Amino acid sequence: FYKLVDSGDYQKFENYSLSYVCKTSSKQNGVIGHKFELSSPDGVKLCSAIFKNPEQQKHIHNVYIQLYGEAIYSYGIKSTIGKILDILKSAFGLTANFMTMYPSRVDINCFIGGYDFSKCKPECFSGRFYVSEECCKGHEIFEINSRLGLETLYLGSRSSVLYFKIYNKKLEIEKSLDTLSSQVKKEYLLQNGFDFEKPIWNAEFTLKRDYLMQCGVRTLTSLFSFYKGLFGNTFSNLSFYGDDVAKIRRYKESRNLSRLKEHPLWLNILNYCDFERISIMSGCLEYDAPLPHRMTVKRSKVGCEKWHKRQMIKYLQKAKENGWDLKYLGDFLA
């Protein structure tokens, strides 16, 4: 199939709800191959599917699939994957199931209604998986603000195995209500008891393959078997202390942040167990060892070196401001 697509003769597959998008490169998303979009018969976009180039990807013959939000909100994750597998099987004879599909990235989220995070600052959160002193885009902390306050907050590096973001979901939907995707998301939230007259935020962790492997999640079967444990595992890596920024800064400056109690909202999220709407798959295999209650993400050696370098530069700058003569710095190191 890949040779056929590479030659440009792919039009005959478009009767199967496939549409060709482009040829991808490693610089764009780490995957080399040809990208398609798959849609359901009723017009909902299901996913993008990249058929990898086996010659440039270690002779691996597989397909990289990224689910679209409008499909997840319309059908649910498992039903969406089922529709994708039906298309791939009818078009190419490609057979797969949840035991032969491997997650490379998983987003675990929690919608929060009725609480406004717009007054929050990065200090309102505390976690071991990011460096709290680093505040710039592409690094550990990045926030997007408007005249109404906080809109989006990122914690952690996108290159790490785990990072977090929280954003104004209601605002995101209302900005693009003319699209099918936003209409589907709004209808989903309304049907699940959310009030659009009040704030609605989305707290979301992104888990990379290495983190999933550490948790024993290797296939989609194990992912759906342990989603509850994975939910608690990720959210326990972060603390939220409310939006009283002045109080939090006082505790932090006196190095007593551990004495500050977490906000009841966050404790409710950690204790959340109303998962009736997501049914456990029948026939899921159970692993021998349960998920750990808390898994702290270890910083890489490179990350530690960067942190120490930043600390040294900061102390040297302070020393220079205080009138130190740094010409003999080598003598101190000796």
Side-chain angles (χ1 to χ4, degrees):
F1 169 77
Y2 186 84
K3 291 180 180 179
L4 190 67
V5 173
D6 209 31
S7 66
D9 187 14
Y10 50 79
Q11 286 82 0
K12 65 180 182 180
F13 295 105
E14 296 190 351
N15 294 330
Y16 295 95
S17 302
L18 278 89
S19 58
Y20 184 76
V21 178
C22 64
K23 187 173 183 179
T24 67
S25 68
S26 58
K27 292 181 179 180
Q28 293 175 327
N29 49 24
V31 182
I32 304 171
H34 289 277
K35 182 177 180 180
F36 287 78
E37 276 191 346
L38 279 63
S39 302
S40 66
D42 52 2
V44 176
K45 291 183 179 180
L46 299 173
C47 70
S48 67
I50 300 176
F51 291 80
K52 293 184 180 180
N53 184 337
E55 294 180 359
Q56 298 185 45
Q57 301 245 263
K58 300 179 181 179
H59 299 285
I60 296 174
H61 298 266
N62 63 10
V63 186
Y64 181 84
I65 292 173
Q66 183 174 1
L67 302 183
Y68 286 158
E70 63 186 81
I72 294 173
Y73 287 92
S74 297
Y75 308 122
I77 294 176
K78 289 186 286 186
S79 295
T80 299
I81 296 172
K83 292 176 183 292
I84 293 167
L85 292 179
D86 288 342
I87 294 173
L88 294 178
K89 185 176 181 179
S90 60
F92 319 116
L94 189 154
T95 57
N97 56 52
F98 288 0
M99 280 297 294
T100 60
M101 301 180 78
Y102 309 99
S104 60
R105 168 185 159 176
V106 173
D107 294 339
I108 294 206
N109 70 301
C110 178
F111 295 120
I112 304 170
Y115 187 90
D116 190 3
F117 288 86
S118 61
K119 296 179 182 178
C120 292
K121 292 289 183 184
E123 295 95 321
C124 300
F125 295 87
S126 176
R128 298 183 180 182
F129 60 93
Y130 67 97
V131 181
S132 58
E133 289 83 6
E134 189 74 19
C135 297
C136 56
K137 188 174 182 180
H139 287 77
E140 303 296 335
I141 298 175
F142 179 58
E143 52 183 315
I144 300 174
N145 294 283
S146 68
R147 59 182 181 83
L148 300 175
L150 181 71
E151 288 187 5
T152 306
L153 174 65
Y154 293 90
L155 299 174
S157 171
R158 291 199 172 195
S159 60
S160 66
V161 297
L162 177 75
Y163 67 88
F164 172 82
K165 73 173 179 178
I166 186 166
Y167 62 95
N168 192 330
K169 189 69 177 180
K170 176 186 173 184
L171 182 64
E172 179 202 57
I173 292 173
E174 290 178 340
K175 279 182 176 179
S176 55
L177 267 178
D178 55 333
T179 63
L180 174 63
S181 178
S182 291
Q183 292 172 13
V184 168
K185 292 174 184 177
K186 182 175 181 179
E187 185 62 28
Y188 172 86
L189 291 170
L190 288 172
Q191 289 183 7
N192 284 279
F194 286 88
D195 184 358
F196 262 75
E197 298 298 321
K198 298 178 180 179
I200 302 174
W201 288 69
N202 185 23
E204 181 177 282
F205 276 95
T206 294
L207 287 59
K208 300 289 185 65
R209 188 194 300 269
D210 289 345
Y211 187 89
L212 294 169
M213 294 286 282
Q214 291 174 36
C215 294
V217 175
R218 293 174 174 81
T219 66
L220 290 191
T221 300
S222 56
L223 175 64
F224 290 128
S225 296
F226 289 120
Y227 60 83
K228 286 180 73 172
L230 210 55
F231 180 92
N233 192 334
T234 50
F235 275 90
S236 65
N237 272 288
L238 189 66
S239 299
F240 174 63
Y241 300 110
D243 58 6
D244 190 342
V245 180
K247 179 181 178 181
I248 295 168
R249 285 175 178 171
R250 286 199 305 271
Y251 272 84
K252 197 169 185 179
E253 288 170 0
S254 60
R255 297 188 178 183
N256 288 320
L257 191 61
S258 59
R259 296 185 180 182
L260 188 62
K261 292 183 179 179
E262 286 194 62
H263 194 278
L265 169 68
W266 210 252
L267 297 176
N268 286 340
I269 291 175
L270 289 174
N271 296 325
Y272 185 71
C273 56
D274 180 20
F275 285 90
E276 281 85 9
R277 292 189 185 91
I278 310 175
S279 59
I280 295 282
M281 283 181 55
S282 59
C284 283
L285 298 180
E286 297 291 339
Y287 281 90
D288 295 331
L291 278 170
H293 176 66
R294 180 185 181 92
M295 178 172 290
T296 303
V297 180
K298 297 180 180 178
R299 297 197 187 110
S300 64
K301 181 182 177 182
V302 176
C304 291
E305 289 175 354
K306 288 181 180 178
W307 182 82
H308 284 297
K309 186 177 180 180
R310 289 195 299 268
Q311 293 296 103
M312 290 299 298
I313 292 172
K314 182 173 71 173
Y315 290 134
L316 288 171
Q317 288 174 342
K318 284 186 177 180
K320 190 174 182 180
E321 291 171 2
N322 291 330
W324 285 33
D325 188 355
L326 301 180
K327 289 189 296 183
Y328 305 102
L329 185 62
D331 297 337
F332 291 104
L333 295 176

